[in-house]
Amino acid sequence: MDLSAIINSIQDAVATAPIGTRPSSDEKKAFQNALATEFAKNLRRVDTDIKDMPEYNLSEISTSSLDKYNDKCDIFVETERYIVIVELDTTRADQVAKKMLSRYYYADKCTKPTVYVCLLYPGTKNMNSNECVKYMKMGKDVLLSMNSSNRFIGAFINGKELKLKLIG
């Protein structure tokens, strides 16, 4: 899998639709749409339907009729060889950990390897970015232990700046 195409897509989306502290829902949606557009240009998707559009319902991945959790990720892309799950959130460690658990549940149900992308934008002064990095590291280890072909990308966005923190 080509992580550089994913990272370049994120950088291009940040340049097109920057995200700063406490973005409005319109700013977040603009970034999601820009990222979906970049993925559509740069990744070889299985098909060209709306799977890479914002707010994808992950229960569609599960073959179990018992899955009624109705969890949604910010961006979902399926290529011929892997899937990409993107979460865009504020710098809140509890939110980072909770989303990882939920998304890994669905990643485990996929037959293809997963690239999990954790993108964080600034929150309040009281939000601890170091604690978020701690959960990113733990999350990367868990994701790779589920399937050694899985990959993790963790980054912080502030305006048009993308700071990659963890790739693995």
Side-chain angles (χ1 to χ4, degrees), residues 45-96:
R45 297 169 300 153
V46 169
D47 51 37
T48 56
D49 66 9
I50 60 169
K51 284 187 180 178
D52 59 349
M53 296 307 291
E55 302 299 324
Y56 179 77
N57 189 337
L58 289 167
S59 61
E60 292 182 33
I61 292 174
S62 179
T63 57
S64 170
S65 61
L66 301 174
D67 184 357
K68 305 263 192 274
Y69 298 123
N70 200 30
D71 285 336
K72 295 178 181 173
C73 65
D74 289 320
I75 301 281
F76 179 89
V77 179
E78 183 175 1
T79 74
E80 292 178 3
R81 297 179 313 166
Y82 58 92
I83 65 164
V84 180
I85 296 174
V86 179
E87 283 300 333
L88 174 66
D89 290 304
T90 190
T91 307
R92 278 187 45 197
D94 62 326
Q95 191 175 44
V96 170

Side-chain angles (χ1 to χ4, degrees), residues 26-42:
D26 287 343
E27 290 169 320
K28 186 176 175 182
K29 188 64 79 180
F31 177 78
Q32 288 174 297
N33 287 331
L35 186 54
T37 298
E38 293 302 325
F39 282 155
K41 286 193 297 191
N42 298 319

Side-chain angles (χ1 to χ4, degrees), residues 98-140:
K98 180 178 93 170
K99 294 273 181 89
M100 281 183 193
L101 176 62
S102 167
R103 300 335 176 234
Y104 291 5
Y105 169 82
Y106 293 100
D108 191 50
K109 302 202 176 307
C110 290
T111 58
K112 297 177 183 179
T114 298
V115 178
Y116 183 79
V117 182
C118 176
L119 299 176
L120 303 178
Y121 52 83
T124 66
K125 290 183 214 175
N126 297 331
M127 293 179 182
N128 188 340
S129 61
N130 290 331
E131 193 174 9
C132 291
V133 172
K134 175 182 104 172
Y135 284 113
M136 284 181 189
K137 288 177 182 175
M138 290 176 169
K140 178 188 78 90

